[in-house]
Amino acid sequence: MLKGYLGLDVGSVSTNVVVIDQEGNLLFSRYLRTDGKPIQTVQRAVQLAGEELEGKVTIAGAGTTGSARYLSSMVVGADIVKNEITAHAVAALNVNPDVQTIIEIGGQDSKIIILRDGVVIDFAMNTVCAAGTGSFLDQQAARLRIPIEEFGGIALKSDNPVRIAGRCAVFAESDMIHKQQLGHNTEDIVAGLCEALVRNYLNNVGKGKELLAPILFQGGVAANQGLVKAFEKYLDHPMIVPTHFEVMGAIGAALLASEAVKRKSGTLFKGFEVKDITFKTTSFECKGCPNCCEVVQFSENGSVVARWGDRCGKWEIQAS
Amino acid sequence: MKISFPRMGYSYIAFKWLVENIGHECIVPPEPSERTLDLGVRYSPEFACIPYKILTGTYLEVADMGAEVVLTSGGIGPCRAGYYWIMHQQMLDELGIDLKIIAFEPPLNNISDFWQKLKLVWKSGGLSYREFIRVMKVAWEKLKAIDDLEQLSFKVRPYEIHRGETSRTLWKGLDFLDEANSIPEIKEARSEGLKLLNSMPQDKTRDPLKVGIIGEIYVVLEPSANHYIQIMLGEAGVEVDRSMYLSGYCGRREMHRPNEEIFAMARPYLNEAPIGGHGTNSIGETVLYAKNGFDGVIQLAPFACIPEIVAKSIIPRVSREQDIPVLTFFIDEQTGKAGVQTRIEAFVDLLEKRRERKRKEQGRLRAC
């Protein structure tokens, strides 16, 4: 049977699951909406992978990343838990070992990762505002009643993008209405929105960084051809959009897992049957001191396997 | 009088003792919580920075607890924090809350104003001048001892075997200090606390990264304002060095280099000094950390803080030329800690890889 490595990227909006083989080829990939239920979504994601791969592939290692990486690792039994920055960098290096800049734009966050000689030397994530992210485009596309999938194609038709303020989604909206009422056509407005996002990204997330080629553009937003074009216009470099741009975080987690299991014997992966395990989280307020920490308990089939959330550590149980 | 003050790290232990021993009742400000932030955001201008909002919340909380007077600091120079107490007083008056703010400006700026405010607090407590000076000296000793314990906790934490043990031990040491009432007692409590921390079970085979913390004073000193980042770093196996302690800020030499020295370090990058707040310090301290062989620097800044924004836009050059990675956190009212955790983990990964490579290169040089 083929050996595979499972990677999970569980974020606020989407949950991505991939399985890769030993050479790093993608065997399975699926995108699910997290819908605020990370545990069930992860169970479902693993079940879907199982339905397709059961009997053909054995999972030799599993890795998790994304903002719910710790929770997910307890659900599936992960061999490695890594932050999104490192996971994305690992996956990008696997596609192009010479990459010097990674632009990653997802639903609610955007990142820039600067690498030199195959090592991450600097990174940044958007901080207080979501203006430079996918949700900005989502919002405006909804206003224009354009399905987000068609957004990029429409932008490409524009010869003369209008200028729209990109600092803030609210300001952008009033700017956009103004431009609509002046009689600009939809293509130019859509292309203008793409450029507004790019300006915002470069001035906010990319500020002070040296963006050298090769530049990889990944994350769900990289599907938008209008944005690819806008980035190329502003940066004067071609954008490389990897084939599996939307699941690069999960691929990174899977690659890290394949490395991690080399250093130990066997995997912690619980198997495709994790859907049959009952996971439950409960919480209580510790009364031990005035901090009143909210302690979260994680139980598997009725027994508590992990606890976290206390600042002093007295309640903590770490999942192995 | 029932007196309170803003909360800034563990300094409340010393201030509580001071207020009580001058002869007043002390209302200890609670640790800033989500409730503090809710109140603060509700009654502050939207564009005010997070220290302002936390103080607004704290003042409303202590007023609720019965405080009549709040002692705080004013400030001179181009940072707007110098006007905060005036804004706060106006807000309290408008809300009809009977709480008086007494703000101490730097004494040399206006000695008579300083003296009058001091007299108001001290005379109403009923102490003689000589007793007042003695009480001040004891409180100063306490403040220094608190900083000593916290500083040692940053050194010990990356070696701790059981997560949280350092924090618990530190709290025990601070309890000793809380009970000490004279300089000899404080000295004893201090050395007892230091001993406890040093004798904690530690794994000395670890090789922690060293990271310096720079930035705006309030968000650097008050752990709840920075997602307990210094503790988070320690528990991620990083030895933290904080560029600022309250006793250092108040002039204690061994905790703080003189500003002139720091400004001199910043001068190749920024000729103007000071630029308000701790902006110039942030640049100078980054240079110093690089020269002292630190692995990285973390800058903590309130969102929209002009001095730190100026520093941040200069830091990329400092970082390049001095060869030291710097990570900036802008802090606003969000309480979610996931983003902070992710950045810290990524930063630690980056620093580790970098150190590994540097050591390899040095090893190669030595082999030649």
Side-chain angles (χ1 to χ4, degrees):
Chain A
M1 221 164 18
L2 202 58
K3 260 190 181 175
Y5 300 92
L6 182 106
L8 269 166
D9 180 354
V10 187
S12 51
V13 180
S14 66
T15 294
N16 298 319
V17 57
V18 300
V19 177
I20 58 169
D21 67 12
Q22 274 165 304
E23 278 75 49
N25 302 309
L26 200 66
L27 301 174
F28 174 83
S29 135
R30 194 59 58 90
Y31 165 100
L32 297 168
R33 290 196 84 85
T34 310
D35 287 330
K37 296 191 203 94
I39 296 177
Q40 286 94 318
T41 314
V42 167
Q43 284 178 295
R44 172 113 188 93
V46 175
Q47 184 191 358
L48 289 172
E51 280 167 12
E52 198 159 314
L53 303 174
E54 190 100 74
K56 285 181 270 180
V57 178
T58 49
I59 300 299
T64 59
T65 185
S67 50
R69 57 189 177 279
Y70 287 102
L71 190 64
S72 321
S73 88
M74 282 182 276
V75 174
V76 300
D79 301 297
I80 190 159
V81 183
K82 262 293 166 201
N83 61 82
E84 302 91 289
I85 305 274
T86 308
H88 274 283
V90 165
L93 284 165
N94 195 46
V95 170
N96 185 335
D98 301 320
V99 59
Q100 298 211 78
T101 306
I102 301 168
I103 293 172
E104 200 272 338
I105 306 183
Q108 275 189 12
D109 63 354
S110 52
K111 319 175 182 63
I112 188 164
I113 308 172
I114 306 290
L115 305 96
R116 297 291 180 264
D117 307 319
V119 176
V120 177
I121 62 149
D122 197 5
F123 67 87
M125 287 166 80
N126 62 325
T127 45
V128 276
C129 176
T133 70
S135 61
F136 169 80
L137 285 187
D138 257 346
Q139 289 249 334
Q140 309 313 326
R143 250 207 75 79
L144 292 164
R145 297 185 189 277
I146 298 173
I148 190 72
E149 299 76 27
E150 292 169 23
F151 203 86
I154 294 174
L156 285 185
K157 288 188 203 141
S158 161
D159 302 318
N160 187 25
V162 297
R163 198 185 156 80
I164 292 170
R167 163 102 208 267
C168 160
V170 179
F171 294 162
E173 191 166 315
S174 59
D175 219 15
M176 192 175 77
I177 295 168
H178 176 67
K179 295 279 151 80
Q180 279 175 315
Q181 286 167 345
L182 281 178
H184 288 284
N185 63 40
T186 310
E187 290 100 81
D188 290 345
I189 290 174
V190 168
L193 282 171
C194 291
E195 292 198 354
L197 189 147
V198 167
R199 276 198 306 274
N200 181 288
Y201 176 90
L202 293 176
N203 291 335
N204 182 5
V205 184
K207 191 167 78 184
K209 313 255 182 280
E210 204 182 3
L211 281 71
L212 299 181
I215 305 176
L216 254 66
F217 183 19
Q218 50 200 50
V221 173
N224 188 322
Q225 283 303 312
L227 267 180
V228 175
K229 190 178 150 195
F231 266 119
E232 288 179 342
K233 178 174 161 189
Y234 275 82
L235 291 175
D236 217 10
H237 283 301
M239 293 287 117
I240 304 168
V241 180
T243 325
H244 308 294
F245 60 87
E246 77 290 7
V247 290
M248 292 296 271
I251 293 178
L255 288 166
L256 285 161
S258 72
E259 284 299 310
V261 290
K262 275 183 203 158
R263 294 189 296 266
K264 53 185 198 175
S265 58
T267 174
L268 297 169
F269 182 60
K270 296 175 185 167
F272 290 125
E273 298 76 36
V274 290
K275 65 170 193 300
D276 302 327
I277 306 175
T278 317
F279 295 103
K280 220 177 137 194
T281 52
T282 49
S283 64
F284 63 90
E285 197 179 86
C286 170
K287 304 273 187 224
C289 80
N291 284 327
C292 297
C293 296
E294 186 84 9
V295 184
V296 180
Q297 292 196 108
F298 183 83
S299 59
E300 183 176 329
N301 283 339
S303 57
V304 176
V305 289
R307 250 194 240 119
W308 62 88
D310 53 332
R311 273 175 43 211
C312 70
K314 78 172 181 183
W315 290 104
E316 189 173 81
I317 309 177
Q318 254 164 356
S320 52
Chain B
M1 281 194 290
K2 290 180 178 172
I3 296 184
S4 192
F5 42 81
R7 178 129 170 173
M8 225 173 176
Y10 304 113
S11 63
Y12 70 91
I13 294 170
F15 290 132
K16 182 185 82 175
W17 190 90
L18 179 64
V19 166
E20 285 175 351
N21 284 275
I22 291 177
H24 297 291
E25 190 179 328
C26 179
I27 305 289
V28 179
E31 182 175 22
S33 61
E34 279 188 33
R35 179 167 177 260
T36 318
L37 209 53
D38 283 346
L39 285 168
V41 170
R42 188 161 157 203
Y43 294 105
S44 303
E46 192 273 332
F47 55 83
C49 63
I50 200 71
Y52 182 94
K53 291 178 180 171
I54 293 178
L55 292 201
T56 301
T58 300
Y59 292 168
L60 292 172
E61 283 181 313
V62 297
D64 214 30
M65 292 159 76
E68 298 159 319
V69 169
V70 159
L71 304 182
T72 185
S73 65
I76 47 167
C79 166
R80 58 188 177 178
Y83 296 105
Y84 277 5
W85 71 274
I86 300 168
M87 301 260 297
H88 277 130
Q89 186 70 71
Q90 278 181 8
M91 172 208 68
L92 291 166
D93 293 347
E94 271 173 30
L95 289 174
I97 291 169
D98 195 14
L99 179 64
K100 186 177 163 53
I101 300 176
I102 299 180
F104 291 94
E105 305 288 348
L108 293 179
N109 194 46
N110 185 344
I111 189 77
S112 79
D113 175 75
F114 183 80
W115 182 241
Q116 267 169 11
K117 284 173 175 169
L118 194 65
K119 234 163 65 179
L120 189 75
V121 175
W122 140 48
K123 287 267 163 117
S124 54
L127 291 189
S128 71
Y129 181 68
R130 187 183 293 244
E131 282 167 333
F132 177 67
I133 293 299
R134 185 193 70 85
V135 166
M136 287 290 277
K137 277 187 178 157
V138 176
W140 173 239
E141 202 60 35
K142 220 173 225 209
L143 189 68
K144 288 195 294 186
I146 291 165
D147 282 351
D148 289 340
L149 288 194
E150 195 179 13
Q151 191 179 41
L152 180 64
S153 79
F154 294 138
K155 290 207 184 310
V156 170
R157 191 172 284 110
Y159 296 101
E160 74 181 7
I161 291 166
H162 312 291
R163 188 186 80 88
E165 188 158 6
T166 311
S167 299
R168 289 194 295 266
T169 311
L170 172 65
W171 294 340
K172 223 181 273 171
L174 291 171
D175 281 345
F176 295 156
L177 281 176
D178 194 20
E179 281 155 24
N181 283 308
S182 64
I183 291 179
E185 277 177 38
I186 291 168
K187 288 197 163 144
E188 201 191 315
R190 175 183 172 275
S191 61
E192 196 59 33
L194 294 175
K195 206 164 77 193
L196 274 183
L197 278 167
N198 277 324
S199 56
M200 252 173 54
Q202 295 174 45
D203 177 1
K204 283 289 185 189
T205 61
R206 290 182 199 161
D207 183 13
L209 292 160
K210 281 171 84 179
V211 168
I213 305 276
I214 58 167
E216 189 275 336
I217 185 165
Y218 189 82
V219 295
V220 168
L221 293 194
E222 173 49 48
S224 69
N226 59 36
H227 308 277
Y228 305 92
I229 205 170
Q230 291 149 30
I231 295 172
M232 218 193 271
L233 279 165
E235 289 175 354
V238 174
E239 186 181 322
V240 173
D241 183 274
R242 206 164 76 188
S243 61
M244 221 180 318
Y245 287 87
L246 197 54
S247 58
Y249 180 70
C250 297
R252 185 181 177 200
R253 246 334 267 270
E254 59 266 40
M255 278 291 189
H256 190 70
R257 287 167 190 265
N259 274 339
E260 299 71 53
E261 225 172 275
I262 299 168
F263 292 168
M265 287 292 163
R267 204 148 290 137
Y269 303 95
L270 178 67
N271 215 359
E272 301 260 322
I275 56 162
H278 287 87
T280 315
N281 297 61
S282 286
I283 296 168
E285 300 277 7
T286 305
V287 178
L288 278 168
Y289 280 128
K291 291 202 187 307
N292 290 328
F294 275 70
D295 296 294
V297 168
I298 290 182
Q299 181 194 17
L300 300 174
F303 185 57
C305 168
I306 295 287
E308 294 302 326
I309 288 173
V310 173
K312 183 186 188 273
S313 43
I314 295 170
I315 280 174
R317 199 182 131 212
V318 184
S319 168
R320 241 185 347 260
E321 289 178 8
Q322 302 287 335
D323 193 23
I324 186 160
V326 182
L327 177 66
T328 300
F329 283 100
F330 276 111
I331 296 168
D332 202 31
E333 56 181 276
Q334 291 129 316
T335 47
K337 140 177 161 174
V340 180
Q341 181 89 37
T342 300
R343 287 173 177 80
I344 286 185
E345 285 179 21
F347 194 58
V348 168
D349 272 357
L350 180 162
L351 297 182
E352 251 164 19
K353 279 264 151 51
R354 203 173 156 272
R355 182 172 72 174
E356 220 171 85
R357 192 160 74 171
K358 271 199 158 167
R359 283 185 177 164
K360 238 183 236 162
E361 275 164 17
Q362 279 165 357
R364 221 177 293 138
L365 282 180
R366 241 175 262 133
C368 293

